[in-house]
Amino acid sequence: LKLLNKIKEYTFLSVTVTPFILEAKCGYIIIIMAVYWCTEVIPLAVTSLMPVVFLPLLGVRSAKAYLNNTNMLFFGGLIVAISVEHWNLHRRIALKILLLLGVKPALLMLGFMIVTAFLSMWISNTATTAMMIPIVQAVLDQLDSTEHDMTVMEQAAGQTNTVIELEEKSTPESTAANGKGLLTKKLMLLNLLHSAPQPRSKKWKHVCKGMTLCVCYAASIGGTATLTGTGPNVVLKGQMNQIYPDNNDIVNFASWFGFSFPNMVLMLVLAWLWLQCSFIGLNLKKSWGCGTEKTAKDKAAYNVLKEEMKKLGPVSYAELNVFLLFVLLVLLWFTRHPGFIKGWASWLFKGGEKYITDAVPAMFVSLLLFILPAQKPKFTAWNPTMKPFLSAPLLDWNVVQRKMPWSIVLLLGGGFALADASANSGLSAWLGDQMTPLGSIPPWAIASVVSFTVAVFTECTSNVATATLFLDILSISLQATSVKVHPLYVMLPATLSASFAFMLPVATPPNAIVFSYGSIRVLDMVKSGIIMNIIGVLSVTLAINTWGRPMFGLDTFPAWANSTAKQ
């Protein structure tokens, strides 16, 4: 109280001390959690539990907002992803696409990136990278082994020709006398050439770096395309519903996909061109195979992929069921509330557009995974002596419990609780009033600065924690009536930029997995990651100022944001 009185005395604030106590308490909790999230003095998930304890104890707010529909959406999406991973469906999809695209260097890198990005849209970035890297490594090892064998054969052929020339120059007497010795020397020479390990060339090491880096980059890029693809996307969805409850479900699976998928494709193409220029080179004839036949290396790489595909065996009944349920979930998400026509939620259920969210189909399909059998039912004539057909379900709770990233679920809850407390304690209104000078800055400049800041910050902090922290601050600030900027104009770039962790191995788990294989140095990742961050920020800036404007109506300040700010 003394400190606040001093602030009032020296800055002539036109507020009394007593009403500001609640806002100060809420702000104190946010600052403490932000410091703990950045420094990781305790685990991130444990820090996320602090609102459950301190918000009620300090009299700010109950923690009832900790779990909501958005948590259930993320939880349901993860359960479906775990089922896909459990039955190796993601591996079958990856190998099939790689076999279709081909094994030329440029096409191989593009194939790795397309597969990784596609899988990362539906399952976790970490699981996708952990699955893809062994495949990449196996292909690269086979290519290296084939190149080594070809080099050995060429050297052996050259040495053999030399020996034959010497034999031809020798006299018949010397040839007869030394025939056994020459034959022995040839055999020893061939054995030596085949057994001696050939060190990898500098150029080949460069190619290996590009092939492995493309996987972790594609995993981070692919996760931005869907609402459940990565944690920051779900944070935005929760913040919008928490702070702007009358937003007419502006951010749903369909609208997010319509905005983010083109941005993901743009980033993926630019990232592929950058990595190709940096690590492979733009030799169309060599990289693309224009007008050339398949070499021994290409055939060897193709055979590796075919062998990996054979190991999976034929498509099982469980894989087919999981695939059909996955397709069903995606269709339900897209058609629930398309925007241009009425969705199934409005047609089939009275008031469905108000009560049925994207979490409903996610949990519906999740329930089916625990009910439907993993083996094909046997329909036979009834016989009392026969044992009943009992099959395990497609998914077991022990598998979910083991593979579920519970820490991210808790991180989301902590962020939602903070957002709810900020809005109801008055901290939002107070901070919003301090942001009045922002009204004179062009919105595109605000969005660009926010994107760049978040992209740099997320290199050192968890992407979910970064998104939670920045979106809390931005949503609080944008509630001020003095700053007439559409909330999504700034919050969308911040959310996407939270996934642009390309520079450091510790920035995100996919980077750490790739770095652990030992072929990449930190400096390699930093050099490539700087350009990747620039590509990301520029792509998001382009997206938000082109197709994002009409899609979300970003040129006008929405009524639902104005009414919320007044409240």
Side-chain angles (χ1 to χ4, degrees):
L1 289 176
K2 288 181 179 178
L3 177 61
L4 291 173
N5 280 322
K6 286 291 183 183
I7 293 173
K8 180 183 177 183
E9 179 181 346
Y10 287 108
T11 59
F12 303 101
L13 293 175
S14 58
V15 294
T16 58
V17 173
T18 306
F20 190 69
I21 292 177
L22 204 60
E23 294 94 313
K25 289 178 179 179
C26 184
Y28 174 74
I29 296 172
I30 291 176
I31 291 171
I32 291 295
M33 290 184 65
V35 172
Y36 278 27
W37 271 333
C38 295
T39 58
E40 295 190 43
V41 289
I42 58 176
L44 298 177
V46 178
T47 302
S48 303
L49 295 171
M50 291 176 69
V52 180
V53 179
F54 293 109
L55 288 178
L57 286 180
L58 295 177
V60 178
R61 183 79 171 164
S62 68
K64 64 180 182 181
Y66 200 92
L67 290 175
N68 52 34
N69 274 326
T70 309
N71 294 84
M72 293 298 102
L73 167 65
F74 190 62
F75 188 68
L78 286 176
I79 289 177
V80 176
I82 288 170
S83 69
V84 171
E85 183 183 347
H86 178 63
W87 290 104
N88 266 336
L89 183 60
H90 62 321
R91 190 176 181 86
R92 187 179 297 278
I93 294 171
L95 291 170
K96 191 68 177 176
I97 296 175
L98 287 173
L99 286 170
L100 289 173
L101 287 175
V103 291
K104 288 293 180 183
L107 290 175
L108 195 61
M109 177 181 280
L110 181 63
F112 286 146
M113 294 184 75
I114 289 175
V115 170
T116 305
F118 173 76
L119 293 176
S120 187
M121 289 165 58
W122 314 106
I123 66 178
S124 75
N125 303 350
T126 306
T128 303
T129 307
M131 186 272 297
M132 285 297 298
I133 282 295
I135 297 176
V136 174
Q137 203 65 39
V139 172
L140 292 176
D141 288 342
Q142 186 60 49
L143 289 173
D144 185 36
S145 176
T146 306
E147 185 174 12
H148 170 257
D149 291 343
M150 290 174 65
T151 304
V152 167
M153 290 173 66
E154 290 172 0
Q155 291 178 355
Q159 294 294 337
T160 304
N161 291 335
T162 303
V163 172
I164 291 172
E165 288 175 5
L166 290 172
E167 286 179 348
E168 290 175 350
K169 291 179 181 179
S170 301
T171 62
E173 293 80 5
S174 61
T175 303
N178 300 326
K180 291 184 179 179
L182 288 171
L183 180 61
T184 305
K185 288 178 181 178
K186 283 193 286 183
L187 292 173
M188 289 176 63
L189 180 62
L190 289 173
N191 289 332
L192 179 64
L193 286 170
H194 279 281
S195 60
Q198 300 292 323
R200 286 184 172 183
S201 65
K202 187 176 181 181
K203 186 177 180 181
W204 178 249
K205 289 179 180 178
H206 218 49
V207 171
C208 292
K209 289 177 182 179
M211 290 291 184
T212 49
L213 273 176
C214 76
V215 173
C216 61
Y217 289 166
S220 296
I221 293 170
T224 63
T226 58
L227 192 57
T228 57
T230 188
N233 306 353
V234 188
V235 172
L236 173 66
K237 170 70 173 173
Q239 298 281 27
M240 290 295 295
N241 292 344
Q242 200 79 41
I243 300 172
Y244 307 105
D246 301 323
N247 65 66
N248 301 320
D249 199 26
I250 190 171
V251 178
N252 55 42
F253 193 90
S255 65
W256 179 273
F257 188 84
F259 171 74
S260 297
F261 183 76
N263 180 72
M264 185 269 285
V265 173
L266 175 63
M267 281 193 64
L268 206 64
V269 171
L270 294 176
W272 171 62
L273 290 173
W274 161 240
L275 292 175
Q276 189 184 344
C277 291
S278 302
F279 297 100
I280 297 178
L282 286 174
N283 187 332
L284 293 179
K285 188 173 182 180
K286 189 174 181 181
S287 299
W288 289 82
C290 299
T292 60
E293 295 183 359
K294 281 188 177 181
T295 63
K297 287 173 63 177
D298 298 336
K299 292 177 181 177
Y302 189 81
N303 289 334
V304 169
L305 296 176
K306 283 184 69 175
E307 286 299 319
E308 291 294 323
M309 194 72 174
K310 284 182 181 179
K311 290 178 184 178
L312 295 176
V315 178
S316 65
Y317 179 79
E319 280 183 84
L320 181 61
N321 272 351
V322 169
F323 177 74
L324 292 175
L325 289 175
F326 169 73
V327 172
L328 173 65
L329 175 60
V330 175
L331 289 175
L332 290 175
W333 270 338
F334 275 114
T335 57
R336 180 188 66 85
H337 184 59
F340 55 92
I341 58 171
K342 279 190 175 182
W344 58 264
S346 303
W347 281 106
L348 299 179
F349 303 94
K350 188 177 180 179
E353 68 279 358
K354 185 177 180 181
Y355 300 108
I356 298 176
T357 64
D358 285 328
V360 175
M363 296 310 298
F364 171 68
V365 173
S366 299
L367 289 173
L368 291 179
L369 288 169
F370 290 99
I371 296 172
L372 296 179
Q375 296 179 4
K376 190 175 181 179
K378 299 176 183 178
F379 299 100
T380 56
W382 181 79
N383 188 342
T385 60
M386 289 182 63
K387 293 182 179 178
F389 172 78
L390 295 174
S391 172
L394 290 169
L395 198 58
D396 182 71
W397 179 251
N398 290 329
V399 177
V400 175
Q401 192 172 3
R402 187 174 66 252
K403 294 188 175 182
M404 178 66 67
W406 298 105
S407 59
I408 297 180
V409 177
L410 295 177
L411 269 171
L412 294 176
F416 298 155
L418 286 182
D420 178 67
S422 301
N424 289 279
S425 67
L427 181 62
S428 301
W430 182 83
L431 278 178
D433 291 338
Q434 315 310 310
M435 299 293 175
T436 303
L438 289 178
S440 59
I441 302 176
W444 65 266
I446 299 175
S448 300
V449 171
V450 167
S451 296
F452 181 77
T453 305
V454 173
V456 172
F457 199 81
T458 195
E459 298 291 347
C460 308
T461 314
S462 159
N463 58 358
V464 178
T466 302
T468 303
L469 181 60
F470 275 88
L471 289 180
D472 270 342
I473 296 171
L474 290 172
S475 59
I476 288 169
S477 306
L478 293 172
Q479 284 189 74
T481 55
S482 55
V483 184
K484 297 292 184 179
V485 178
H486 195 295
L488 287 178
Y489 194 90
V490 178
M491 295 173 75
L492 274 173
T495 303
L496 292 173
S497 298
S499 296
F500 299 161
F502 301 122
M503 288 176 57
L504 299 173
V506 297
T508 186
N511 293 10
I513 292 171
V514 168
F515 184 77
S516 67
Y517 272 75
S519 62
I520 296 173
R521 300 174 302 165
V522 175
L523 188 60
D524 297 323
M525 194 169 280
V526 170
K527 286 179 180 178
S528 301
I530 289 174
I531 304 300
M532 288 298 302
N533 274 0
I534 294 172
I535 288 172
V537 172
L538 291 178
S539 298
V540 170
T541 304
L542 175 67
I544 202 70
N545 288 292
T546 51
W547 64 85
R549 284 180 178 271
M551 186 173 291
F552 296 107
L554 301 179
D555 291 322
T556 58
F557 189 69
W560 48 261
N562 195 36
S563 61
T564 305
K566 287 180 180 178
Q567 289 174 6

